[in-house]
PDB file of all heavy atoms in Angstrom:
ATOM      1  N   LEU T 173       6.311  33.348   4.475  1.00  0.00           N
ATOM      2  CA  LEU T 173       4.849  33.175   4.275  1.00  0.00           C
ATOM      3  C   LEU T 173       4.073  33.090   5.615  1.00  0.00           C
ATOM      4  O   LEU T 173       2.978  33.640   5.768  1.00  0.00           O
ATOM      5  CB  LEU T 173       4.551  31.961   3.434  1.00  0.00           C
ATOM      6  CG  LEU T 173       5.158  31.996   1.968  1.00  0.00           C
ATOM      7  CD1 LEU T 173       4.853  30.679   1.248  1.00  0.00           C
ATOM      8  CD2 LEU T 173       4.611  33.176   1.228  1.00  0.00           C
ATOM      9  N   TYR T 174       4.692  32.343   6.531  1.00  0.00           N
ATOM     10  CA  TYR T 174       4.028  32.246   7.861  1.00  0.00           C
ATOM     11  C   TYR T 174       4.075  33.617   8.597  1.00  0.00           C
ATOM     12  O   TYR T 174       3.108  33.946   9.308  1.00  0.00           O
ATOM     13  CB  TYR T 174       4.674  31.158   8.682  1.00  0.00           C
ATOM     14  CG  TYR T 174       4.426  29.772   8.165  1.00  0.00           C
ATOM     15  CD1 TYR T 174       5.424  29.074   7.433  1.00  0.00           C
ATOM     16  CD2 TYR T 174       3.243  29.121   8.372  1.00  0.00           C
ATOM     17  CE1 TYR T 174       5.201  27.799   6.933  1.00  0.00           C
ATOM     18  CE2 TYR T 174       3.040  27.863   7.893  1.00  0.00           C
ATOM     19  CZ  TYR T 174       3.974  27.185   7.195  1.00  0.00           C
ATOM     20  OH  TYR T 174       3.769  25.915   6.690  1.00  0.00           O
ATOM     21  N   GLU T 175       5.157  34.340   8.434  1.00  0.00           N
ATOM     22  CA  GLU T 175       5.232  35.637   9.068  1.00  0.00           C
ATOM     23  C   GLU T 175       4.175  36.582   8.478  1.00  0.00           C
ATOM     24  O   GLU T 175       3.560  37.360   9.212  1.00  0.00           O
ATOM     25  CB  GLU T 175       6.657  36.214   8.884  1.00  0.00           C
ATOM     26  CG  GLU T 175       7.731  35.431   9.609  1.00  0.00           C
ATOM     27  CD  GLU T 175       9.106  35.987   9.398  1.00  0.00           C
ATOM     28  OE1 GLU T 175       9.198  36.988   8.637  1.00  0.00           O
ATOM     29  OE2 GLU T 175      10.084  35.434   9.882  1.00  0.00           O
ATOM     30  N   ALA T 176       4.011  36.565   7.171  1.00  0.00           N
ATOM     31  CA  ALA T 176       3.010  37.400   6.555  1.00  0.00           C
ATOM     32  C   ALA T 176       1.585  36.955   6.997  1.00  0.00           C
ATOM     33  O   ALA T 176       0.776  37.838   7.237  1.00  0.00           O
ATOM     34  CB  ALA T 176       3.095  37.272   5.012  1.00  0.00           C
ATOM     35  N   ALA T 177       1.365  35.689   7.190  1.00  0.00           N
ATOM     36  CA  ALA T 177       0.054  35.205   7.661  1.00  0.00           C
ATOM     37  C   ALA T 177      -0.160  35.671   9.098  1.00  0.00           C
ATOM     38  O   ALA T 177      -1.313  36.037   9.456  1.00  0.00           O
ATOM     39  CB  ALA T 177      -0.007  33.668   7.555  1.00  0.00           C
ATOM     40  N   ASP T 178       0.852  35.660   9.946  1.00  0.00           N
ATOM     41  CA  ASP T 178       0.702  36.144  11.301  1.00  0.00           C
ATOM     42  C   ASP T 178       0.362  37.640  11.314  1.00  0.00           C
ATOM     43  O   ASP T 178      -0.456  38.115  12.110  1.00  0.00           O
ATOM     44  CB  ASP T 178       2.026  35.909  12.080  1.00  0.00           C
ATOM     45  CG  ASP T 178       2.235  34.460  12.373  1.00  0.00           C
ATOM     46  OD1 ASP T 178       1.227  33.727  12.504  1.00  0.00           O
ATOM     47  OD2 ASP T 178       3.442  34.038  12.489  1.00  0.00           O
ATOM     48  N   LEU T 179       0.994  38.403  10.403  1.00  0.00           N
ATOM     49  CA  LEU T 179       0.700  39.825  10.339  1.00  0.00           C
ATOM     50  C   LEU T 179      -0.738  40.081   9.920  1.00  0.00           C
ATOM     51  O   LEU T 179      -1.382  41.089  10.274  1.00  0.00           O
ATOM     52  CB  LEU T 179       1.678  40.519   9.391  1.00  0.00           C
ATOM     53  CG  LEU T 179       3.111  40.562   9.848  1.00  0.00           C
ATOM     54  CD1 LEU T 179       4.024  41.199   8.742  1.00  0.00           C
ATOM     55  CD2 LEU T 179       3.266  41.364  11.123  1.00  0.00           C
ATOM     56  N   ASP T 180      -1.280  39.173   9.074  1.00  0.00           N
ATOM     57  CA  ASP T 180      -2.650  39.333   8.615  1.00  0.00           C
ATOM     58  C   ASP T 180      -3.659  38.796   9.597  1.00  0.00           C
ATOM     59  O   ASP T 180      -4.882  38.882   9.376  1.00  0.00           O
ATOM     60  CB  ASP T 180      -2.812  38.552   7.268  1.00  0.00           C
ATOM     61  CG  ASP T 180      -2.110  39.274   6.141  1.00  0.00           C
ATOM     62  OD1 ASP T 180      -1.841  40.483   6.263  1.00  0.00           O
ATOM     63  OD2 ASP T 180      -1.776  38.589   5.122  1.00  0.00           O
ATOM     64  N   GLY T 181      -3.133  38.240  10.736  1.00  0.00           N
ATOM     65  CA  GLY T 181      -4.051  37.781  11.788  1.00  0.00           C
ATOM     66  C   GLY T 181      -4.608  36.397  11.539  1.00  0.00           C
ATOM     67  O   GLY T 181      -5.673  36.072  12.093  1.00  0.00           O
ATOM     68  N   ALA T 182      -3.940  35.571  10.708  1.00  0.00           N
ATOM     69  CA  ALA T 182      -4.428  34.240  10.441  1.00  0.00           C
ATOM     70  C   ALA T 182      -4.262  33.325  11.616  1.00  0.00           C
ATOM     71  O   ALA T 182      -3.221  33.419  12.269  1.00  0.00           O
ATOM     72  CB  ALA T 182      -3.691  33.697   9.186  1.00  0.00           C
ATOM     73  N   ASP T 183      -5.232  32.458  11.831  1.00  0.00           N
ATOM     74  CA  ASP T 183      -5.099  31.483  12.939  1.00  0.00           C
ATOM     75  C   ASP T 183      -4.390  30.219  12.421  1.00  0.00           C
ATOM     76  O   ASP T 183      -3.955  30.178  11.275  1.00  0.00           O
ATOM     77  CB  ASP T 183      -6.468  31.155  13.549  1.00  0.00           C
ATOM     78  CG  ASP T 183      -7.433  30.639  12.484  1.00  0.00           C
ATOM     79  OD1 ASP T 183      -7.007  30.153  11.443  1.00  0.00           O
ATOM     80  OD2 ASP T 183      -8.694  30.739  12.725  1.00  0.00           O
ATOM     81  N   THR T 184      -4.256  29.231  13.305  1.00  0.00           N
ATOM     82  CA  THR T 184      -3.556  28.019  12.916  1.00  0.00           C
ATOM     83  C   THR T 184      -4.135  27.290  11.729  1.00  0.00           C
ATOM     84  O   THR T 184      -3.440  26.871  10.807  1.00  0.00           O
ATOM     85  CB  THR T 184      -3.466  27.057  14.140  1.00  0.00           C
ATOM     86  OG1 THR T 184      -2.867  27.727  15.236  1.00  0.00           O
ATOM     87  CG2 THR T 184      -2.677  25.801  13.802  1.00  0.00           C
ATOM     88  N   TRP T 185      -5.487  27.152  11.724  1.00  0.00           N
ATOM     89  CA  TRP T 185      -6.154  26.489  10.611  1.00  0.00           C
ATOM     90  C   TRP T 185      -5.983  27.229   9.299  1.00  0.00           C
ATOM     91  O   TRP T 185      -5.743  26.656   8.247  1.00  0.00           O
ATOM     92  CB  TRP T 185      -7.618  26.245  10.923  1.00  0.00           C
ATOM     93  CG  TRP T 185      -8.402  25.848   9.755  1.00  0.00           C
ATOM     94  CD1 TRP T 185      -9.373  26.549   9.135  1.00  0.00           C
ATOM     95  CD2 TRP T 185      -8.310  24.615   9.026  1.00  0.00           C
ATOM     96  NE1 TRP T 185      -9.897  25.867   8.050  1.00  0.00           N
ATOM     97  CE2 TRP T 185      -9.254  24.657   7.963  1.00  0.00           C
ATOM     98  CE3 TRP T 185      -7.524  23.470   9.142  1.00  0.00           C
ATOM     99  CZ2 TRP T 185      -9.428  23.620   7.040  1.00  0.00           C
ATOM    100  CZ3 TRP T 185      -7.698  22.416   8.265  1.00  0.00           C
ATOM    101  CH2 TRP T 185      -8.625  22.516   7.202  1.00  0.00           C
ATOM    102  N   GLN T 186      -6.077  28.520   9.356  1.00  0.00           N
ATOM    103  CA  GLN T 186      -5.935  29.351   8.158  1.00  0.00           C
ATOM    104  C   GLN T 186      -4.551  29.314   7.593  1.00  0.00           C
ATOM    105  O   GLN T 186      -4.355  29.280   6.382  1.00  0.00           O
ATOM    106  CB  GLN T 186      -6.371  30.807   8.436  1.00  0.00           C
ATOM    107  CG  GLN T 186      -7.859  30.990   8.671  1.00  0.00           C
ATOM    108  CD  GLN T 186      -8.174  32.376   9.122  1.00  0.00           C
ATOM    109  OE1 GLN T 186      -7.379  33.077   9.785  1.00  0.00           O
ATOM    110  NE2 GLN T 186      -9.407  32.838   8.839  1.00  0.00           N
ATOM    111  N   LYS T 187      -3.523  29.247   8.434  1.00  0.00           N
ATOM    112  CA  LYS T 187      -2.173  29.129   7.977  1.00  0.00           C
ATOM    113  C   LYS T 187      -1.954  27.778   7.340  1.00  0.00           C
ATOM    114  O   LYS T 187      -1.233  27.657   6.358  1.00  0.00           O
ATOM    115  CB  LYS T 187      -1.195  29.331   9.143  1.00  0.00           C
ATOM    116  CG  LYS T 187      -1.063  30.808   9.557  1.00  0.00           C
ATOM    117  CD  LYS T 187       0.062  30.997  10.528  1.00  0.00           C
ATOM    118  CE  LYS T 187      -0.288  30.400  11.910  1.00  0.00           C
ATOM    119  NZ  LYS T 187       0.769  30.688  12.923  1.00  0.00           N
ATOM    120  N   PHE T 188      -2.580  26.724   7.914  1.00  0.00           N
ATOM    121  CA  PHE T 188      -2.436  25.404   7.292  1.00  0.00           C
ATOM    122  C   PHE T 188      -3.149  25.383   5.949  1.00  0.00           C
ATOM    123  O   PHE T 188      -2.662  24.827   5.000  1.00  0.00           O
ATOM    124  CB  PHE T 188      -3.018  24.339   8.200  1.00  0.00           C
ATOM    125  CG  PHE T 188      -3.008  22.980   7.622  1.00  0.00           C
ATOM    126  CD1 PHE T 188      -1.876  22.184   7.607  1.00  0.00           C
ATOM    127  CD2 PHE T 188      -4.185  22.453   7.050  1.00  0.00           C
ATOM    128  CE1 PHE T 188      -1.896  20.917   6.994  1.00  0.00           C
ATOM    129  CE2 PHE T 188      -4.216  21.201   6.473  1.00  0.00           C
ATOM    130  CZ  PHE T 188      -3.053  20.405   6.442  1.00  0.00           C
ATOM    131  N   ARG T 189      -4.311  25.939   5.883  1.00  0.00           N
ATOM    132  CA  ARG T 189      -5.121  25.883   4.642  1.00  0.00           C
ATOM    133  C   ARG T 189      -4.556  26.700   3.525  1.00  0.00           C
ATOM    134  O   ARG T 189      -4.553  26.243   2.355  1.00  0.00           O
ATOM    135  CB  ARG T 189      -6.516  26.324   4.993  1.00  0.00           C
ATOM    136  CG  ARG T 189      -7.451  26.327   3.754  1.00  0.00           C
ATOM    137  CD  ARG T 189      -8.892  26.745   4.177  1.00  0.00           C
ATOM    138  NE  ARG T 189      -9.764  26.792   3.007  1.00  0.00           N
ATOM    139  CZ  ARG T 189     -11.016  27.208   3.020  1.00  0.00           C
ATOM    140  NH1 ARG T 189     -11.594  27.648   4.195  1.00  0.00           N
ATOM    141  NH2 ARG T 189     -11.783  27.195   1.931  1.00  0.00           N
ATOM    142  N   TYR T 190      -4.045  27.914   3.852  1.00  0.00           N
ATOM    143  CA  TYR T 190      -3.645  28.820   2.787  1.00  0.00           C
ATOM    144  C   TYR T 190      -2.146  28.856   2.583  1.00  0.00           C
ATOM    145  O   TYR T 190      -1.662  29.475   1.562  1.00  0.00           O
ATOM    146  CB  TYR T 190      -4.155  30.220   3.068  1.00  0.00           C
ATOM    147  CG  TYR T 190      -5.687  30.318   3.089  1.00  0.00           C
ATOM    148  CD1 TYR T 190      -6.375  30.456   4.253  1.00  0.00           C
ATOM    149  CD2 TYR T 190      -6.384  30.212   1.886  1.00  0.00           C
ATOM    150  CE1 TYR T 190      -7.774  30.514   4.279  1.00  0.00           C
ATOM    151  CE2 TYR T 190      -7.781  30.262   1.887  1.00  0.00           C
ATOM    152  CZ  TYR T 190      -8.469  30.425   3.111  1.00  0.00           C
ATOM    153  OH  TYR T 190      -9.864  30.459   3.069  1.00  0.00           O
ATOM    154  N   VAL T 191      -1.339  28.333   3.468  1.00  0.00           N
ATOM    155  CA  VAL T 191       0.081  28.389   3.359  1.00  0.00           C
ATOM    156  C   VAL T 191       0.690  26.956   3.276  1.00  0.00           C
ATOM    157  O   VAL T 191       1.388  26.615   2.274  1.00  0.00           O
ATOM    158  CB  VAL T 191       0.761  29.160   4.523  1.00  0.00           C
ATOM    159  CG1 VAL T 191       2.284  29.175   4.370  1.00  0.00           C
ATOM    160  CG2 VAL T 191       0.217  30.601   4.580  1.00  0.00           C
ATOM    161  N   THR T 192       0.422  26.158   4.270  1.00  0.00           N
ATOM    162  CA  THR T 192       1.044  24.852   4.345  1.00  0.00           C
ATOM    163  C   THR T 192       0.547  23.900   3.282  1.00  0.00           C
ATOM    164  O   THR T 192       1.344  23.303   2.569  1.00  0.00           O
ATOM    165  CB  THR T 192       0.756  24.235   5.771  1.00  0.00           C
ATOM    166  OG1 THR T 192       1.223  25.097   6.772  1.00  0.00           O
ATOM    167  CG2 THR T 192       1.462  22.876   5.881  1.00  0.00           C
ATOM    168  N   TRP T 193      -0.750  23.767   3.160  1.00  0.00           N
ATOM    169  CA  TRP T 193      -1.303  22.820   2.220  1.00  0.00           C
ATOM    170  C   TRP T 193      -0.946  23.141   0.753  1.00  0.00           C
ATOM    171  O   TRP T 193      -0.544  22.211  -0.007  1.00  0.00           O
ATOM    172  CB  TRP T 193      -2.809  22.687   2.406  1.00  0.00           C
ATOM    173  CG  TRP T 193      -3.445  21.605   1.593  1.00  0.00           C
ATOM    174  CD1 TRP T 193      -4.339  21.695   0.554  1.00  0.00           C
ATOM    175  CD2 TRP T 193      -3.278  20.154   1.737  1.00  0.00           C
ATOM    176  NE1 TRP T 193      -4.724  20.537   0.056  1.00  0.00           N
ATOM    177  CE2 TRP T 193      -4.067  19.535   0.777  1.00  0.00           C
ATOM    178  CE3 TRP T 193      -2.460  19.383   2.590  1.00  0.00           C
ATOM    179  CZ2 TRP T 193      -4.066  18.135   0.641  1.00  0.00           C
ATOM    180  CZ3 TRP T 193      -2.494  18.020   2.448  1.00  0.00           C
ATOM    181  CH2 TRP T 193      -3.291  17.408   1.480  1.00  0.00           C
ATOM    182  N   PRO T 194      -1.087  24.375   0.317  1.00  0.00           N
ATOM    183  CA  PRO T 194      -0.625  24.691  -1.061  1.00  0.00           C
ATOM    184  C   PRO T 194       0.856  24.472  -1.270  1.00  0.00           C
ATOM    185  O   PRO T 194       1.304  24.076  -2.338  1.00  0.00           O
ATOM    186  CB  PRO T 194      -1.027  26.171  -1.237  1.00  0.00           C
ATOM    187  CG  PRO T 194      -2.134  26.373  -0.281  1.00  0.00           C
ATOM    188  CD  PRO T 194      -1.756  25.553   0.901  1.00  0.00           C
ATOM    189  N   GLY T 195       1.651  24.703  -0.246  1.00  0.00           N
ATOM    190  CA  GLY T 195       3.065  24.527  -0.357  1.00  0.00           C
ATOM    191  C   GLY T 195       3.483  23.031  -0.434  1.00  0.00           C
ATOM    192  O   GLY T 195       4.639  22.732  -0.785  1.00  0.00           O
ATOM    193  N   LEU T 196       2.608  22.154  -0.072  1.00  0.00           N
ATOM    194  CA  LEU T 196       2.889  20.724  -0.103  1.00  0.00           C
ATOM    195  C   LEU T 196       2.325  20.057  -1.389  1.00  0.00           C
ATOM    196  O   LEU T 196       2.174  18.808  -1.344  1.00  0.00           O
ATOM    197  CB  LEU T 196       2.303  20.025   1.127  1.00  0.00           C
ATOM    198  CG  LEU T 196       2.904  20.453   2.459  1.00  0.00           C
ATOM    199  CD1 LEU T 196       2.096  19.823   3.591  1.00  0.00           C
ATOM    200  CD2 LEU T 196       4.354  20.008   2.540  1.00  0.00           C
ATOM    201  N   ARG T 197       2.075  20.776  -2.386  1.00  0.00           N
ATOM    202  CA  ARG T 197       1.459  20.225  -3.598  1.00  0.00           C
ATOM    203  C   ARG T 197       2.296  19.100  -4.216  1.00  0.00           C
ATOM    204  O   ARG T 197       1.787  18.024  -4.484  1.00  0.00           O
ATOM    205  CB  ARG T 197       1.183  21.348  -4.596  1.00  0.00           C
ATOM    206  CG  ARG T 197       0.536  20.827  -5.878  1.00  0.00           C
ATOM    207  CD  ARG T 197       0.239  21.971  -6.856  1.00  0.00           C
ATOM    208  NE  ARG T 197      -0.356  21.458  -8.050  1.00  0.00           N
ATOM    209  CZ  ARG T 197      -0.780  22.257  -9.082  1.00  0.00           C
ATOM    210  NH1 ARG T 197      -0.594  23.536  -8.995  1.00  0.00           N
ATOM    211  NH2 ARG T 197      -1.338  21.700 -10.124  1.00  0.00           N
ATOM    212  N   ALA T 198       3.562  19.380  -4.483  1.00  0.00           N
ATOM    213  CA  ALA T 198       4.405  18.386  -5.090  1.00  0.00           C
ATOM    214  C   ALA T 198       4.639  17.191  -4.159  1.00  0.00           C
ATOM    215  O   ALA T 198       4.703  16.040  -4.572  1.00  0.00           O
ATOM    216  CB  ALA T 198       5.774  19.006  -5.462  1.00  0.00           C
ATOM    217  N   THR T 199       4.720  17.493  -2.862  1.00  0.00           N
ATOM    218  CA  THR T 199       4.962  16.393  -1.872  1.00  0.00           C
ATOM    219  C   THR T 199       3.782  15.445  -1.806  1.00  0.00           C
ATOM    220  O   THR T 199       3.942  14.247  -1.738  1.00  0.00           O
ATOM    221  CB  THR T 199       5.264  17.026  -0.502  1.00  0.00           C
ATOM    222  OG1 THR T 199       6.332  17.924  -0.578  1.00  0.00           O
ATOM    223  CG2 THR T 199       5.564  15.937   0.527  1.00  0.00           C
TER     224      THR T 199
END
Side-chain angles (χ1 to χ4, degrees):
L173 297 179
Y174 291 102
E175 294 179 1
D178 289 331
L179 292 175
D180 291 337
D183 56 23
T184 303
W185 167 248
Q186 290 173 331
K187 286 189 289 186
F188 175 80
R189 179 179 179 183
Y190 296 107
V191 179
T192 305
W193 187 246
L196 294 173
R197 179 177 181 179
T199 305

